[in-house]
Amino acid sequence: MTSNTPLAPCSILLLAGGRGQRMGGQDKGLLDWHGEPLIAHLHRKTRPLSDDLIISCNRNLEKYAPYADQLVHDDEGDFPGPLAGIRAGLKAARHAYLLVLPCDVPRIDAALLQSMRETAGQHPDKPLMLRHGEHWEPLLCMIPVALSAAFETAWNEGERSPGRLMRKLGATALQCPDNDPRLANLNTPELLSTHHTVSD
């Protein structure tokens, strides 16, 4: 799907603030993949799309700073989960949309990012999430910043699931093929190692 309508400017949030439990507590965004930290791959793919590149990180701020226009962190300690990082990104965003990506999807490509922006622009008051089969990918999403207050209200009411919250807000799905390699989550040492052997 292509559109001649200019894409609305968006802020981009790269989520790198997790505990890294599946990586033995390591800071996932800084792990090496094809000779560079994962965050460098996401930075290269997203940098041309926005003048407001935000990274959510809770440690190693000095290592993430070169890859971002802004750094944000959770407002509660002990790694409260990705919704906390998304809330911080929505508060900091300088544009009307926030495109959210986790730091461990280095195979995402320009075509999919373009499709996310085009589809979100057709539903300007709804969040957009990627979906493959019946499985939603809540951390690969695009959120109108105008929904920031709704995210705050849900958080204060105890909601901690980004996917459940966005579905309650009438999320649009951008359907991807089953087992789409662009959505590969390299979130364990085994996956990181396996994908090392696959040519990019």
Side-chain angles (χ1 to χ4, degrees), residues 3-12 46 48-52 93-99 113-126 142-146:
S3 167
N4 295 322
T5 306
L7 294 174
C10 68
S11 298
I12 295 176
T46 56
L49 306 180
S50 180
D51 61 0
D52 188 26
R94 297 179 183 138
H95 295 303
Y97 292 94
L98 183 67
L99 173 62
L113 295 171
Q114 172 90 356
S115 293
M116 290 176 73
R117 297 180 70 192
E118 289 177 352
T119 307
Q122 294 163 13
H123 307 274
D125 58 342
K126 303 290 186 188
M142 198 153 173
I143 304 168
V145 173

mmCIF file of all heavy atoms in Angstrom, residues 3-12 46 48-52 93-99 113-126 142-146:
data_model
loop_
_atom_site.group_PDB
_atom_site.id
_atom_site.type_symbol
_atom_site.label_atom_id
_atom_site.label_comp_id
_atom_site.label_asym_id
_atom_site.label_seq_id
_atom_site.Cartn_x
_atom_site.Cartn_y
_atom_site.Cartn_z
ATOM 1 N N SER A 3 0.894 5.628 -0.590
ATOM 2 C CA SER A 3 0.029 6.799 -0.538
ATOM 3 C C SER A 3 0.817 8.007 -0.997
ATOM 4 O O SER A 3 2.012 8.111 -0.757
ATOM 5 C CB SER A 3 -0.472 7.001 0.893
ATOM 6 O OG SER A 3 -1.065 8.263 1.042
ATOM 7 N N ASN A 4 0.132 8.930 -1.677
ATOM 8 C CA ASN A 4 0.773 10.174 -2.069
ATOM 9 C C ASN A 4 0.631 11.244 -1.002
ATOM 10 O O ASN A 4 1.165 12.333 -1.134
ATOM 11 C CB ASN A 4 0.158 10.684 -3.376
ATOM 12 C CG ASN A 4 0.453 9.729 -4.527
ATOM 13 O OD1 ASN A 4 1.541 9.172 -4.595
ATOM 14 N ND2 ASN A 4 -0.508 9.539 -5.414
ATOM 15 N N THR A 5 -0.093 10.925 0.067
ATOM 16 C CA THR A 5 -0.260 11.886 1.152
ATOM 17 C C THR A 5 1.041 11.972 1.938
ATOM 18 O O THR A 5 1.598 10.945 2.331
ATOM 19 C CB THR A 5 -1.387 11.421 2.098
ATOM 20 O OG1 THR A 5 -2.556 11.184 1.324
ATOM 21 C CG2 THR A 5 -1.654 12.463 3.162
ATOM 22 N N PRO A 6 1.539 13.187 2.186
ATOM 23 C CA PRO A 6 2.765 13.298 2.978
ATOM 24 C C PRO A 6 2.565 12.694 4.364
ATOM 25 O O PRO A 6 1.498 12.838 4.966
ATOM 26 C CB PRO A 6 2.994 14.818 3.067
ATOM 27 C CG PRO A 6 2.166 15.417 1.986
ATOM 28 C CD PRO A 6 1.020 14.495 1.760
ATOM 29 N N LEU A 7 3.582 12.002 4.839
ATOM 30 C CA LEU A 7 3.496 11.388 6.159
ATOM 31 C C LEU A 7 3.635 12.464 7.223
ATOM 32 O O LEU A 7 4.498 13.341 7.144
ATOM 33 C CB LEU A 7 4.605 10.354 6.336
ATOM 34 C CG LEU A 7 4.525 9.114 5.445
ATOM 35 C CD1 LEU A 7 5.767 8.264 5.623
ATOM 36 C CD2 LEU A 7 3.283 8.304 5.743
ATOM 37 N N ALA A 8 2.784 12.393 8.241
ATOM 38 C CA ALA A 8 2.899 13.331 9.351
ATOM 39 C C ALA A 8 4.220 13.097 10.079
ATOM 40 O O ALA A 8 4.665 11.950 10.209
ATOM 41 C CB ALA A 8 1.728 13.135 10.305
ATOM 42 N N PRO A 9 4.854 14.159 10.552
ATOM 43 C CA PRO A 9 6.085 13.968 11.329
ATOM 44 C C PRO A 9 5.808 13.097 12.553
ATOM 45 O O PRO A 9 4.730 13.181 13.148
ATOM 46 C CB PRO A 9 6.474 15.393 11.744
ATOM 47 C CG PRO A 9 5.750 16.293 10.816
ATOM 48 C CD PRO A 9 4.486 15.572 10.443
ATOM 49 N N CYS A 10 6.767 12.268 12.893
ATOM 50 C CA CYS A 10 6.593 11.436 14.084
ATOM 51 C C CYS A 10 7.855 11.474 14.923
ATOM 52 O O CYS A 10 8.968 11.641 14.415
ATOM 53 C CB CYS A 10 6.241 9.994 13.709
ATOM 54 S SG CYS A 10 7.558 9.073 12.908
ATOM 55 N N SER A 11 7.659 11.347 16.216
ATOM 56 C CA SER A 11 8.759 11.054 17.120
ATOM 57 C C SER A 11 8.932 9.538 17.137
ATOM 58 O O SER A 11 7.978 8.802 16.869
ATOM 59 C CB SER A 11 8.453 11.572 18.524
ATOM 60 O OG SER A 11 8.287 12.985 18.513
ATOM 61 N N ILE A 12 10.130 9.090 17.428
ATOM 62 C CA ILE A 12 10.406 7.641 17.459
ATOM 63 C C ILE A 12 10.988 7.285 18.819
ATOM 64 O O ILE A 12 11.908 7.951 19.308
ATOM 65 C CB ILE A 12 11.376 7.237 16.335
ATOM 66 C CG1 ILE A 12 10.701 7.465 14.972
ATOM 67 C CG2 ILE A 12 11.802 5.774 16.473
ATOM 68 C CD1 ILE A 12 11.592 7.184 13.779
ATOM 69 N N THR A 46 16.093 4.090 11.785
ATOM 70 C CA THR A 46 15.075 5.073 12.169
ATOM 71 C C THR A 46 15.556 6.519 12.082
ATOM 72 O O THR A 46 14.733 7.424 11.963
ATOM 73 C CB THR A 46 14.574 4.814 13.597
ATOM 74 O OG1 THR A 46 15.694 4.811 14.507
ATOM 75 C CG2 THR A 46 13.853 3.474 13.682
ATOM 76 N N PRO A 48 16.766 8.424 9.728
ATOM 77 C CA PRO A 48 16.288 9.271 8.629
ATOM 78 C C PRO A 48 14.815 9.658 8.734
ATOM 79 O O PRO A 48 14.361 10.539 8.002
ATOM 80 C CB PRO A 48 16.510 8.390 7.383
ATOM 81 C CG PRO A 48 17.465 7.322 7.792
ATOM 82 C CD PRO A 48 17.196 7.095 9.237
ATOM 83 N N LEU A 49 14.068 9.025 9.635
ATOM 84 C CA LEU A 49 12.624 9.210 9.668
ATOM 85 C C LEU A 49 12.164 10.302 10.618
ATOM 86 O O LEU A 49 10.999 10.697 10.592
ATOM 87 C CB LEU A 49 11.934 7.896 10.067
ATOM 88 C CG LEU A 49 12.279 6.671 9.229
ATOM 89 C CD1 LEU A 49 11.517 5.463 9.747
ATOM 90 C CD2 LEU A 49 11.952 6.914 7.755
ATOM 91 N N SER A 50 13.048 10.781 11.492
ATOM 92 C CA SER A 50 12.600 11.722 12.514
ATOM 93 C C SER A 50 13.742 12.591 13.018
ATOM 94 O O SER A 50 14.884 12.148 13.090
ATOM 95 C CB SER A 50 11.989 10.959 13.704
ATOM 96 O OG SER A 50 11.557 11.851 14.711
ATOM 97 N N ASP A 51 13.381 13.824 13.403
ATOM 98 C CA ASP A 51 14.341 14.688 14.084
ATOM 99 C C ASP A 51 14.141 14.613 15.595
ATOM 100 O O ASP A 51 14.687 15.413 16.351
ATOM 101 C CB ASP A 51 14.195 16.141 13.607
ATOM 102 C CG ASP A 51 12.819 16.725 13.888
ATOM 103 O OD1 ASP A 51 11.959 16.006 14.459
ATOM 104 O OD2 ASP A 51 12.579 17.894 13.535
ATOM 105 N N ASP A 52 13.334 13.643 16.034
ATOM 106 C CA ASP A 52 13.075 13.454 17.461
ATOM 107 C C ASP A 52 13.157 11.973 17.786
ATOM 108 O O ASP A 52 12.156 11.270 17.842
ATOM 109 C CB ASP A 52 11.693 14.013 17.823
ATOM 110 C CG ASP A 52 11.437 14.024 19.323
ATOM 111 O OD1 ASP A 52 12.418 14.083 20.092
ATOM 112 O OD2 ASP A 52 10.250 13.990 19.722
ATOM 113 N N ALA A 93 7.604 13.322 23.588
ATOM 114 C CA ALA A 93 7.510 13.416 22.125
ATOM 115 C C ALA A 93 7.217 14.847 21.672
ATOM 116 O O ALA A 93 6.374 15.542 22.242
ATOM 117 C CB ALA A 93 6.428 12.471 21.618
ATOM 118 N N ARG A 94 7.897 15.253 20.594
ATOM 119 C CA ARG A 94 7.733 16.602 20.049
ATOM 120 C C ARG A 94 6.779 16.638 18.862
ATOM 121 O O ARG A 94 6.457 17.716 18.360
ATOM 122 C CB ARG A 94 9.101 17.137 19.605
ATOM 123 C CG ARG A 94 10.093 17.284 20.748
ATOM 124 C CD ARG A 94 11.433 17.796 20.250
ATOM 125 N NE ARG A 94 12.393 17.870 21.352
ATOM 126 C CZ ARG A 94 13.654 17.496 21.269
ATOM 127 N NH1 ARG A 94 14.116 16.993 20.129
ATOM 128 N NH2 ARG A 94 14.463 17.606 22.301
ATOM 129 N N HIS A 95 6.361 15.461 18.383
ATOM 130 C CA HIS A 95 5.469 15.405 17.225
ATOM 131 C C HIS A 95 4.153 14.748 17.611
ATOM 132 O O HIS A 95 3.978 14.269 18.726
ATOM 133 C CB HIS A 95 6.152 14.668 16.073
ATOM 134 C CG HIS A 95 7.353 15.371 15.538
ATOM 135 N ND1 HIS A 95 7.310 16.649 15.050
ATOM 136 C CD2 HIS A 95 8.659 14.977 15.436
ATOM 137 C CE1 HIS A 95 8.521 17.027 14.654
ATOM 138 N NE2 HIS A 95 9.357 16.030 14.884
ATOM 139 N N ALA A 96 3.219 14.725 16.671
ATOM 140 C CA ALA A 96 1.856 14.268 16.955
ATOM 141 C C ALA A 96 1.743 12.753 17.084
ATOM 142 O O ALA A 96 0.761 12.256 17.637
ATOM 143 C CB ALA A 96 0.902 14.764 15.873
ATOM 144 N N TYR A 97 2.706 12.013 16.552
ATOM 145 C CA TYR A 97 2.702 10.551 16.636
ATOM 146 C C TYR A 97 3.990 10.074 17.278
ATOM 147 O O TYR A 97 5.053 10.700 17.115
ATOM 148 C CB TYR A 97 2.613 9.911 15.251
ATOM 149 C CG TYR A 97 1.309 10.110 14.533
ATOM 150 C CD1 TYR A 97 1.144 11.165 13.642
ATOM 151 C CD2 TYR A 97 0.243 9.234 14.719
ATOM 152 C CE1 TYR A 97 -0.043 11.352 12.965
ATOM 153 C CE2 TYR A 97 -0.956 9.407 14.038
ATOM 154 C CZ TYR A 97 -1.093 10.475 13.164
ATOM 155 O OH TYR A 97 -2.269 10.652 12.501
ATOM 156 N N LEU A 98 3.888 8.946 17.975
ATOM 157 C CA LEU A 98 5.065 8.291 18.533
ATOM 158 C C LEU A 98 5.143 6.885 17.946
ATOM 159 O O LEU A 98 4.260 6.049 18.172
ATOM 160 C CB LEU A 98 4.964 8.206 20.059
ATOM 161 C CG LEU A 98 6.183 7.605 20.771
ATOM 162 C CD1 LEU A 98 7.399 8.519 20.634
ATOM 163 C CD2 LEU A 98 5.877 7.336 22.245
ATOM 164 N N LEU A 99 6.190 6.634 17.180
ATOM 165 C CA LEU A 99 6.467 5.304 16.629
ATOM 166 C C LEU A 99 7.352 4.573 17.620
ATOM 167 O O LEU A 99 8.428 5.065 17.971
ATOM 168 C CB LEU A 99 7.157 5.441 15.275
ATOM 169 C CG LEU A 99 7.675 4.173 14.594
ATOM 170 C CD1 LEU A 99 6.547 3.206 14.278
ATOM 171 C CD2 LEU A 99 8.446 4.518 13.331
ATOM 172 N N LEU A 113 8.308 0.122 8.240
ATOM 173 C CA LEU A 113 8.182 1.393 8.963
ATOM 174 C C LEU A 113 7.314 2.375 8.176
ATOM 175 O O LEU A 113 6.477 3.085 8.748
ATOM 176 C CB LEU A 113 9.567 1.986 9.234
ATOM 177 C CG LEU A 113 10.454 1.170 10.180
ATOM 178 C CD1 LEU A 113 11.865 1.745 10.202
ATOM 179 C CD2 LEU A 113 9.871 1.137 11.584
ATOM 180 N N GLN A 114 7.480 2.390 6.867
ATOM 181 C CA GLN A 114 6.661 3.246 6.006
ATOM 182 C C GLN A 114 5.188 2.834 6.088
ATOM 183 O O GLN A 114 4.294 3.688 6.211
ATOM 184 C CB GLN A 114 7.154 3.139 4.567
ATOM 185 C CG GLN A 114 6.281 3.833 3.532
ATOM 186 C CD GLN A 114 6.669 5.273 3.276
ATOM 187 O OE1 GLN A 114 7.564 5.802 3.926
ATOM 188 N NE2 GLN A 114 5.995 5.906 2.334
ATOM 189 N N SER A 115 4.923 1.538 6.035
ATOM 190 C CA SER A 115 3.548 1.048 6.123
ATOM 191 C C SER A 115 2.914 1.405 7.460
ATOM 192 O O SER A 115 1.716 1.745 7.523
ATOM 193 C CB SER A 115 3.502 -0.470 5.929
ATOM 194 O OG SER A 115 3.873 -0.822 4.613
ATOM 195 N N MET A 116 3.697 1.318 8.529
ATOM 196 C CA MET A 116 3.175 1.690 9.848
ATOM 197 C C MET A 116 2.736 3.153 9.846
ATOM 198 O O MET A 116 1.653 3.497 10.320
ATOM 199 C CB MET A 116 4.232 1.455 10.929
ATOM 200 C CG MET A 116 4.519 -0.003 11.219
ATOM 201 S SD MET A 116 5.869 -0.220 12.423
ATOM 202 C CE MET A 116 5.057 0.287 13.957
ATOM 203 N N ARG A 117 3.570 4.008 9.296
ATOM 204 C CA ARG A 117 3.239 5.435 9.295
ATOM 205 C C ARG A 117 2.042 5.738 8.399
ATOM 206 O O ARG A 117 1.169 6.531 8.763
ATOM 207 C CB ARG A 117 4.465 6.242 8.868
ATOM 208 C CG ARG A 117 5.641 6.100 9.840
ATOM 209 C CD ARG A 117 6.843 6.905 9.385
ATOM 210 N NE ARG A 117 6.588 8.338 9.518
ATOM 211 C CZ ARG A 117 7.369 9.273 8.977
ATOM 212 N NH1 ARG A 117 8.430 8.924 8.263
ATOM 213 N NH2 ARG A 117 7.090 10.552 9.141
ATOM 214 N N GLU A 118 1.980 5.105 7.238
ATOM 215 C CA GLU A 118 0.847 5.333 6.334
ATOM 216 C C GLU A 118 -0.460 4.858 6.957
ATOM 217 O O GLU A 118 -1.481 5.561 6.912
ATOM 218 C CB GLU A 118 1.088 4.619 5.007
ATOM 219 C CG GLU A 118 2.171 5.252 4.150
ATOM 220 C CD GLU A 118 2.440 4.469 2.876
ATOM 221 O OE1 GLU A 118 1.895 3.352 2.737
ATOM 222 O OE2 GLU A 118 3.195 4.956 2.032
ATOM 223 N N THR A 119 -0.440 3.664 7.536
ATOM 224 C CA THR A 119 -1.662 3.103 8.109
ATOM 225 C C THR A 119 -2.108 3.911 9.313
ATOM 226 O O THR A 119 -3.311 4.182 9.492
ATOM 227 C CB THR A 119 -1.439 1.627 8.498
ATOM 228 O OG1 THR A 119 -0.931 0.919 7.365
ATOM 229 C CG2 THR A 119 -2.730 0.976 8.949
ATOM 230 N N ALA A 120 -1.161 4.334 10.150
ATOM 231 C CA ALA A 120 -1.521 5.150 11.314
ATOM 232 C C ALA A 120 -2.154 6.468 10.872
ATOM 233 O O ALA A 120 -3.100 6.956 11.499
ATOM 234 C CB ALA A 120 -0.281 5.417 12.161
ATOM 235 N N GLY A 121 -1.665 7.031 9.782
ATOM 236 C CA GLY A 121 -2.205 8.289 9.292
ATOM 237 C C GLY A 121 -3.643 8.183 8.815
ATOM 238 O O GLY A 121 -4.376 9.176 8.780
ATOM 239 N N GLN A 122 -4.053 6.956 8.465
ATOM 240 C CA GLN A 122 -5.441 6.740 8.029
ATOM 241 C C GLN A 122 -6.400 6.583 9.210
ATOM 242 O O GLN A 122 -7.622 6.622 9.042
ATOM 243 C CB GLN A 122 -5.502 5.498 7.137
ATOM 244 C CG GLN A 122 -4.754 5.675 5.824
ATOM 245 C CD GLN A 122 -4.468 4.347 5.146
ATOM 246 O OE1 GLN A 122 -5.032 3.324 5.523
ATOM 247 N NE2 GLN A 122 -3.597 4.359 4.156
ATOM 248 N N HIS A 123 -5.842 6.396 10.407
ATOM 249 C CA HIS A 123 -6.646 6.240 11.640
ATOM 250 C C HIS A 123 -6.028 7.139 12.707
ATOM 251 O O HIS A 123 -5.476 6.654 13.699
ATOM 252 C CB HIS A 123 -6.641 4.773 12.090
ATOM 253 C CG HIS A 123 -7.053 3.808 11.020
ATOM 254 N ND1 HIS A 123 -8.369 3.484 10.767
ATOM 255 C CD2 HIS A 123 -6.319 3.131 10.096
ATOM 256 C CE1 HIS A 123 -8.429 2.632 9.759
ATOM 257 N NE2 HIS A 123 -7.200 2.408 9.334
ATOM 258 N N PRO A 124 -6.100 8.455 12.525
ATOM 259 C CA PRO A 124 -5.271 9.373 13.309
ATOM 260 C C PRO A 124 -5.591 9.446 14.795
ATOM 261 O O PRO A 124 -4.780 9.955 15.562
ATOM 262 C CB PRO A 124 -5.520 10.729 12.637
ATOM 263 C CG PRO A 124 -6.811 10.588 11.908
ATOM 264 C CD PRO A 124 -6.902 9.157 11.504
ATOM 265 N N ASP A 125 -6.737 8.902 15.202
ATOM 266 C CA ASP A 125 -7.073 8.975 16.624
ATOM 267 C C ASP A 125 -6.939 7.626 17.327
ATOM 268 O O ASP A 125 -7.330 7.483 18.487
ATOM 269 C CB ASP A 125 -8.494 9.507 16.804
ATOM 270 C CG ASP A 125 -9.538 8.644 16.080
ATOM 271 O OD1 ASP A 125 -9.136 7.860 15.181
ATOM 272 O OD2 ASP A 125 -10.730 8.754 16.406
ATOM 273 N N LYS A 126 -6.377 6.630 16.632
ATOM 274 C CA LYS A 126 -6.264 5.286 17.207
ATOM 275 C C LYS A 126 -4.799 4.842 17.254
ATOM 276 O O LYS A 126 -4.012 5.172 16.357
ATOM 277 C CB LYS A 126 -7.039 4.269 16.354
ATOM 278 C CG LYS A 126 -8.514 4.581 16.171
ATOM 279 C CD LYS A 126 -9.280 4.392 17.453
ATOM 280 C CE LYS A 126 -10.775 4.575 17.218
ATOM 281 N NZ LYS A 126 -11.525 4.584 18.484
ATOM 282 N N MET A 142 2.371 2.441 16.860
ATOM 283 C CA MET A 142 2.389 3.869 16.597
ATOM 284 C C MET A 142 1.208 4.471 17.345
ATOM 285 O O MET A 142 0.069 4.003 17.201
ATOM 286 C CB MET A 142 2.301 4.142 15.102
ATOM 287 C CG MET A 142 2.739 5.535 14.733
ATOM 288 S SD MET A 142 3.372 5.584 13.044
ATOM 289 C CE MET A 142 3.577 7.367 12.898
ATOM 290 N N ILE A 143 1.493 5.487 18.162
ATOM 291 C CA ILE A 143 0.487 6.014 19.084
ATOM 292 C C ILE A 143 0.318 7.512 18.859
ATOM 293 O O ILE A 143 1.309 8.256 18.874
ATOM 294 C CB ILE A 143 0.924 5.770 20.550
ATOM 295 C CG1 ILE A 143 1.202 4.283 20.797
ATOM 296 C CG2 ILE A 143 -0.144 6.277 21.514
ATOM 297 C CD1 ILE A 143 1.915 4.018 22.115
ATOM 298 N N PRO A 144 -0.924 7.985 18.664
ATOM 299 C CA PRO A 144 -1.135 9.433 18.652
ATOM 300 C C PRO A 144 -0.796 10.016 20.031
ATOM 301 O O PRO A 144 -1.284 9.518 21.058
ATOM 302 C CB PRO A 144 -2.632 9.578 18.349
ATOM 303 C CG PRO A 144 -3.070 8.257 17.798
ATOM 304 C CD PRO A 144 -2.179 7.237 18.440
ATOM 305 N N VAL A 145 0.026 11.038 20.053
ATOM 306 C CA VAL A 145 0.449 11.622 21.331
ATOM 307 C C VAL A 145 -0.748 12.203 22.083
ATOM 308 O O VAL A 145 -0.737 12.301 23.310
ATOM 309 C CB VAL A 145 1.563 12.657 21.089
ATOM 310 C CG1 VAL A 145 1.915 13.415 22.360
ATOM 311 C CG2 VAL A 145 2.816 11.945 20.546
ATOM 312 N N ALA A 146 -1.809 12.521 21.365
ATOM 313 C CA ALA A 146 -3.027 13.012 22.013
ATOM 314 C C ALA A 146 -3.616 11.990 22.987
ATOM 315 O O ALA A 146 -4.423 12.349 23.853
ATOM 316 C CB ALA A 146 -4.068 13.373 20.954
#
